[in-house]
Amino acid sequence: AQKITQTQPGMFVQEKEAVTLDCTYDTSDPSYGLFWYKQPSSGEMIFLIYQGSYDQQNATEGRYSLNFQKARKSANLVISASQLGDSAMYFCAMREKYGNKLVFGAGTILRVKS
Amino acid sequence: NAGVMQNPRHLVRRRGQEARLRCSPMKGHSHVYWYRQLPEEGLKFMVYLQKENIIDESGMPKERFSAEFPKEGPSILRIQQVVRGDSAAYFCASSPSLDRNSPLHFGNGTRLTVT
């Protein structure tokens, strides 16, 4: 079974600095997609960024980038120039081969300090 | 293009009552997924449906929970005889295809409180 591990329950970052949120995964499927979602205190799930297992380049989306290291099975999210509005829970997820459901990690709470 | 619509946003039920949660997927999306999120936890998969078919219900509790996605109308997650442990946020997500490289688009969730 596929598994996502987020080892950082909580992180602090100073406003305007960069922060890396860790994510490792386990799968035997050579083809998969990795996703990051943001859940602010209001509760909605916001899709941030995606990385395909065959993508040669690391994904970027504005201030979000993905540090994808396939051999290490890690897909860390990098947020540059942190803003107060980045304070939220962040989930790493992988789309499974069978059934195509998303499997989520436990999440990391990020707090941006002013 | 409206996103995934869930209603109600908040639902309060007494123990033993029934809860019905509704989800209208994004236009053009025929794949619907239900997830449950307990306080301070991640999202746990419950069930995956296509129109009129349950494809994967491996995350559904064996009793009291059911889901449907009829030919016409929204997908419904039904919880019979609710208990306090059912209190959680229930999210619906939709997808236009089975492409594993496509994200799921989530609704804003229904917060169920059982008193």
Side-chain angles (χ1 to χ4, degrees), chain A residues 61-110:
Chain A
E61 196 70 51
R63 294 186 298 111
Y64 304 110
S65 61
L66 230 158
N67 183 2
F68 180 47
Q69 297 186 47
K70 194 170 181 178
R72 293 186 177 184
K73 292 189 175 179
S74 74
N76 299 337
L77 177 69
V78 180
I79 305 175
S80 62
S82 297
Q83 302 172 356
L84 294 177
D86 293 334
S87 293
M89 177 76 93
Y90 289 81
F91 291 102
C92 180
M94 177 164 54
R95 196 152 184 194
E96 275 194 339
K97 174 182 178 180
Y98 180 74
N100 294 99
K101 63 195 178 199
L102 270 179
V103 176
F104 283 86
T108 297
I109 299 175
L110 176 66

Side-chain angles (χ1 to χ4, degrees), chain B residues 6-7 12 15 27 29 54 85 93 97 105:
Chain B
Q6 287 190 251
N7 67 83
V12 179
R15 278 180 297 170
K27 189 175 181 181
H29 289 196
I54 297 174
S97 74
H105 300 267

Side-chain angles (χ1 to χ4, degrees), chain B:
Chain B
N1 185 15
V4 177
M5 303 299 292
Q6 287 190 251
N7 67 83
R9 189 73 192 267
H10 299 275
L11 181 62
V12 179
R13 285 287 179 266
R14 292 198 190 97
R15 278 180 297 170
Q17 290 185 320
E18 178 180 287
R20 279 184 178 243
L21 288 61
R22 295 175 185 77
C23 168
S24 296
M26 287 181 72
K27 189 175 181 181
H29 289 196
S30 58
H31 305 271
V32 167
Y33 306 77
W34 285 93
Y35 285 80
R36 176 164 64 177
Q37 184 180 31
L38 295 171
E40 309 300 325
E41 293 190 11
L43 276 75
K44 303 296 184 190
F45 168 77
M46 299 181 75
V47 62
Y48 159 44
L49 310 102
Q50 293 180 28
K51 282 287 187 182
E52 299 186 276
N53 290 302
I54 297 174
I55 307 301
D56 179 359
E57 56 182 348
S58 58
M60 286 279 269
K62 297 297 180 207
E63 298 178 347
R64 303 188 297 107
F65 285 72
S66 62
E68 62 177 14
F69 188 16
K71 188 176 180 180
E72 302 290 339
S75 175
I76 305 288
L77 179 68
R78 182 182 178 205
I79 311 172
Q80 295 178 289
Q81 299 173 342
V82 296
V83 301
R84 288 222 171 102
D86 296 333
S87 295
Y90 292 83
F91 287 92
C92 169
S94 72
S95 175
S97 74
L98 291 175
D99 183 359
R100 69 195 65 180
N101 298 317
S102 293
L104 301 189
H105 300 267
F106 283 83
N108 287 336
T110 293
R111 273 89 186 151
L112 172 66
T113 302
V114 179
T115 62

Side-chain angles (χ1 to χ4, degrees), chain A residues 40-53:
Chain A
S41 57
S42 49
E44 68 267 34
M45 292 289 289
I46 302 167
F47 165 67
L48 294 178
I49 194 168
Y50 151 79
Q51 180 83 44
S53 58

